[in-house]
Amino acid sequence: MLSTTHLLDIDDLSTEDVHTVLDRAAALKAGEDDTRLAQQTLGMIFEKPSTRTRTSFETGMTKLGGHAVYLGPDDIHLGHGEPIKDTSRALSRYVDAVMARLFDHADCEELAEYADVPVINGLTDEAHPCQTLADLLTIREEFGFDTRVAWVGDGNNVGQSFVLGCALVGIDLTVATPEGYGMDASVLDRAAELGSAPELAESPEAAVADADVVYTDVFVSMGEEDEREEKLAAFDGYQVNADLLSYVSEETKVMHCLPAHRGEEITDEVLESDRAVVWEQAENRMHAQNGLLVELLTDD
Ligand code: CP
Ligand code: NVA
């Protein structure tokens, strides 16, 4: 049982909640927990494309004995005249939970405000809490939480939720972002409130010193295509490549939420190397979300 009904960002969960979800996820992954969501349905709204989020939630619901309904941008009236509050109230009469990938975070909040069922953020322009749960599960499996992580690149949705997640579980995080592309001040303040704000490094090289994990994400996120040239210029020197990894131990792992833009934020060489735990992260999306769904939808 969690202290929240909805997951709009990772800090809707308490530290105890995060551990509860990750413990449940690990037990489900190991086949040691047979809790099921029989006859339960997850509605999945997508305003943006997705490989992992869609497939991991859909197969996750199947494995849990439930069902998922894909509601893409051309499938429903949302975005074509029906307001969010009406979509939310109608869906609540059919499904047991809603997962939504939307542009505007405020839309996700409105969806939750009018829903009678749990709403899970499957990525907005500000946050990606389901990714953070998978990231924390992966880090816990590889290193435990007494570890040091460097975030190198954009202060975007994935990074911002990750900052809050690290604060919740006590991971020592350092962040290197180019000027003008840092995390929102409100996120850094919130992290401080939750436990500790990340250390802000002057450069990627300074950030990765002593890191057990180097984490990056695309420089140009979905919806930012018009800023492409400007952003690529601003992110010069922030690529995770062999040169940057020459500053860390050979044991240091590399994380990326995917999809990756090889040759931009990360090289093909690094992504294809033994350092990358990106497929473990991708698999853990499903296990982490299954843990979350079971905790949100059952009393077991
Ligand atoms: N990491 C992630 O959310 O991937 P998708 O965009 O493929 O869902
Ligand atoms: N920051 C990326 C994450 C994709 C999963 C984006 O928003 O496009």
Side-chain angles (χ1 to χ4, degrees):
M1 204 63 181
L2 303 177
S3 63
T4 182
T5 305
H6 306 294
L7 183 72
L8 305 186
D9 203 346
I10 194 73
D11 63 329
D12 287 337
L13 300 176
S14 65
T15 295
E16 189 185 342
D17 289 336
V18 173
H19 288 289
T20 299
V21 169
L22 297 182
D23 288 347
R24 177 74 78 164
L28 288 164
K29 182 176 180 177
E32 292 162 0
D33 185 326
D34 58 4
T35 312
R36 292 294 175 262
L37 300 177
Q39 309 295 326
Q40 301 218 44
T41 301
L42 176 70
M44 306 191 299
I45 301 173
F46 281 93
E47 285 183 345
K48 306 182 188 187
S50 165
T51 300
R52 280 143 288 268
T53 303
R54 177 190 174 169
T55 316
S56 57
F57 268 110
E58 195 162 333
T59 54
M61 282 301 288
T62 301
K63 283 180 194 296
L64 291 170
H67 177 65
V69 182
Y70 174 75
L71 305 164
D74 297 325
D75 299 322
I76 55 174
H77 294 287
L78 185 68
H80 308 281
E82 186 164 64
I84 288 173
K85 59 185 178 183
D86 293 1
T87 302
S88 183
R89 287 177 291 193
L91 287 180
S92 294
R93 301 295 175 111
Y94 307 122
V95 302
D96 299 282
V98 174
M99 188 280 296
R101 168 166 286 195
L102 306 173
F103 285 94
D104 192 344
H105 193 77
D107 287 349
C108 202
E109 290 170 341
E110 190 177 345
L111 196 66
E113 185 186 338
Y114 287 92
D116 295 326
V117 297
V119 171
I120 300 168
N121 178 358
L123 180 142
T124 60
D125 288 348
E126 283 178 31
H128 199 2
C130 295
Q131 183 66 51
T132 302
L133 286 175
D135 299 339
L136 295 180
L137 184 60
T138 308
I139 291 171
R140 196 172 82 156
E141 288 171 349
E142 293 279 335
F143 298 102
F145 289 149
D146 185 12
T147 191
R148 189 163 148 44
V149 181
W151 175 272
V152 176
D154 200 11
N156 62 15
N157 42 14
V158 173
Q160 296 201 137
S161 291
F162 187 69
V163 162
L164 299 178
C166 287
L168 280 165
V169 301
I171 289 173
D172 181 357
L173 179 68
T174 303
V175 167
T177 52
E179 208 179 325
Y181 296 100
M183 319 275 173
D184 281 354
S186 62
V187 171
L188 300 177
D189 290 347
R190 179 69 176 137
E193 224 176 86
L194 292 171
S196 62
E199 188 183 329
L200 303 182
E202 290 290 312
S203 66
E205 290 77 11
V208 301
D210 301 325
D212 299 306
V213 178
V214 177
Y215 193 172
T216 192
D217 183 20
V218 290
F219 294 155
V220 184
S221 284
M222 291 180 275
E224 294 182 339
E225 292 76 12
D226 290 351
E227 299 168 46
R228 183 175 173 74
E229 292 314 314
E230 196 186 318
K231 285 198 87 172
L232 290 186
F235 283 81
D236 188 32
Y238 282 78
Q239 186 184 68
V240 176
N241 54 28
D243 186 38
L244 183 65
L245 296 182
S246 70
Y247 290 84
V248 299
S249 133
E250 286 188 2
E251 306 302 313
T252 299
K253 298 293 185 194
V254 171
M255 290 176 59
H256 192 309
C257 59
L258 304 176
H261 295 165
R262 287 169 162 84
E264 293 184 10
E265 77 282 357
I266 193 165
T267 57
D268 182 67
E269 183 192 7
V270 169
L271 203 61
E272 295 293 342
S273 74
D274 289 346
R275 288 178 180 278
V277 292
V278 299
W279 311 118
E280 286 77 1
Q281 271 180 280
E283 178 185 334
N284 279 337
R285 286 294 303 276
M286 185 184 72
H287 302 302
Q289 290 156 196
N290 285 358
L292 174 71
L293 288 164
V294 165
E295 289 297 331
L296 286 176
L297 295 176
T298 72
D299 295 327
D300 295 4

